[in-house]
Structure formats: C-alpha cells, structure tokens
Amino acid sequence: MNLNHVAGIALRQFYLYKGNFARVVPLFAWVAVDMVLWGFMTRYLNEVTSSGYDFVPALLGAVLLWDFFARVMQGLTTGFFEDVWSRNFLNVFATPLTLTEYVSGLVLTSIVTSAIGLVVMLLLSTTVFGLSFAAYGVMFIPFVLVLFLFGIALGILSSAMVLRLGPASEWFVWPIPSLLSPFVGVFYPLSTLPEWMQWVAKLLPPSYVFEGVRTLVAGGEFSGATLGWGFALALLDIVLAGWVFQRVYRYAVRTGLLARYSAESVS
C-alpha cells in the first residue's frame, strides 16, 4: 500500500473543506447543539430528582459517545459521497490507486473529522456542564476505540451499499445510527429490551460500551473481558465490511456499473 496514495485521498478531502466553509460548519455545529440540548436536560433531571443519581455522566456522556460514533461513520461515507456527487468515482479508479488505498484514505479523513467533533463535544461537556470522565477512568479510551472501529465498519458497509444500488440509496445511509440506537441501549439498560432485541444487541459492539458506561457510573465494576468481546466484534465487522466492499467493487467493474454510474439508482 502506497502511503502517498492514501494521503492523496485525504488531501483531496482537505481541499474540499478548505474551499467551502459550509462543509466545515457541520463538523462541529450539530454535535455542539446536541451537547447543549442534552446538557441542559441532564442538569434539569439532576434538579428535579431526589435520588442523588448524577445524570450528567450517564446521559450526557452517552450522547457524547454516540455522536462520536455517528461522526466516524458519516465522516467516511461523506468522503465517499463527495466522489459520487462530483462524478469523480470512475476517474479515481482510472488511476493506479488500489481499493485498499482508497478506503484507507477515507478512514484517515474520518479520523480527522470525527476528532474535530470529539474535541468540540469534550470542551462543551466539561467546561459548561461539568462532565467528569473520572467516572469512566481509563475505560474511556477503549470505549472510544470500540465505537470508532464499529463506525468505520458501518461506513465501509454503507459505501458498498451505495456503490451497488446507486447514489439515490444514500438516503438509506443517514438513518442508520438512529435505527441502531434502540438496540444498543444508549440511554437504558439492555435488560429493558424484549428478548429478541437483546440477542441483536449482543451482536452490536456499541451495546457493550454503553452497558459499561452505566455500570461504571453506578459505581460497579465492568469487566474488561466483556468490552474485549465488543472490540473483537468490531474488528470482525471491519473485516466483513471490507470483504463486502471488495465484492461489490469487483461486481461493479465486471458488469460495467462504474461506467454507468449516474444520479439514479442502477439495478
């Protein structure tokens, strides 16, 4: 893998952001709105409840982690969509660029864009609403890592779906985080879910993260081995997503789908 090729993909995205401020604003605007909204919500819940339970690390921390996951996924897919929207996808693969280099460049772009959102969320949640990560301890880093890996896996899988079904199918991509959130228990324990949803949750790495968040905030001990299972699932998801993307790409090349790529779905 040529690192210059990978950097070239990321550099193209940088120039797109540099040349249009409207692309930069969404990197931090929506996550800032979420932090403010949920920050005041948790502050209100702390005032009206007498249980002594601190909702800030439980709810606001969960929102921060979930928004980070969504930023990672959308950072990768948006980079892919830029080539789709500009009809540049065919041109990219007319170069010596390999599929692995292209995807790696998108991953690098996602790292940068999601890091910007994470920094903004950390600044707002800690300075304005007093969110302390002491409740999570050193587990905060593996929590973020698992969500990052799963976000990358979903981003690759979503890009494969759009490559196979056509640009119009991008509207199936944006709701994915919202569709997953009921299963992973962002705001409530998995035990509240029906049994069939709990089985689905066991296959989703974020569910282990948010169960760990609630356990640590409540003063309990969360097993690192349990989070390790979530980490292994996230790695497996990346491998499967990469395999699917490669298969779809080969199909697109073999059938001439790339040459017929247009603004409408291709069957």
Side-chain angles (χ1 to χ4, degrees):
M1 185 170 61
N2 191 321
L3 296 181
N4 288 332
H5 294 175
V6 175
I9 295 297
L11 185 62
R12 177 181 183 272
Q13 298 300 322
F14 168 76
Y15 283 130
L16 287 173
Y17 283 105
K18 181 181 178 182
N20 191 340
F21 185 70
R23 299 175 187 269
V24 177
V25 172
L27 295 181
F28 58 85
W30 304 124
V31 293
V33 170
D34 273 351
M35 288 298 99
V36 171
L37 175 64
W38 284 95
F40 286 121
M41 176 69 74
T42 53
R43 182 176 293 178
Y44 169 73
L45 290 174
N46 282 342
E47 291 176 355
V48 298
T49 57
S50 57
S51 61
Y53 184 80
D54 189 1
F55 289 92
V56 173
L59 290 183
L60 187 59
V63 172
L64 184 151
L65 291 171
W66 188 248
D67 273 3
F68 171 74
F69 155 74
R71 292 300 105 189
V72 172
M73 174 191 162
Q74 292 173 4
L76 193 150
T77 54
T78 301
F80 176 80
F81 290 159
E82 291 287 358
D83 288 322
V84 173
W85 295 329
S86 61
R87 306 291 197 279
N88 190 52
F89 195 69
L90 184 59
N91 297 330
V92 167
F93 285 101
T95 69
L97 189 73
T98 66
L99 190 63
T100 302
E101 291 167 348
Y102 177 73
V103 174
S104 298
L106 296 181
V107 171
L108 181 58
T109 303
S110 178
I111 291 174
V112 175
T113 56
S114 60
I116 293 173
L118 181 61
V119 169
V120 171
M121 290 188 291
L122 289 174
L123 288 175
L124 280 174
S125 60
T126 55
T127 60
V128 179
F129 300 105
L131 175 61
S132 173
F133 294 96
Y136 308 144
V138 296
M139 295 297 289
F140 178 74
I141 296 176
F143 285 162
V144 169
L145 181 59
V146 170
L147 292 175
F148 171 78
L149 293 175
F150 187 60
I152 292 298
L154 277 186
I156 296 174
L157 187 62
S158 299
S159 299
M161 179 175 65
V162 173
L163 178 60
R164 175 61 183 87
L165 301 178
S169 62
E170 73 179 66
W171 297 108
F172 294 130
V173 173
W174 305 120
I176 287 178
S178 298
L179 293 175
L180 290 179
S181 58
F183 292 91
V184 300
V186 179
F187 304 113
Y188 44 77
L190 297 180
S191 58
T192 61
L193 299 175
E195 186 175 355
W196 70 271
M197 292 184 69
Q198 293 185 37
W199 281 106
V200 175
K202 292 178 180 179
L203 301 176
L204 299 174
S207 62
Y208 299 92
V209 172
F210 294 107
E211 283 292 277
V213 167
R214 279 184 292 272
T215 300
L216 293 177
V217 170
E221 294 185 2
F222 184 67
S223 170
T226 302
L227 187 62
W229 179 245
F231 180 79
L233 284 176
L235 289 177
L236 177 62
D237 288 339
I238 288 182
V239 173
L240 292 176
W243 178 80
V244 170
F245 191 92
Q246 186 179 55
R247 296 274 296 184
V248 170
Y249 172 75
R250 289 178 177 177
Y251 172 84
V253 172
R254 185 175 67 252
T255 61
L257 183 62
L258 285 181
R260 294 183 287 116
Y261 224 55
S262 64
E264 300 297 331
S265 176
V266 181
S267 60

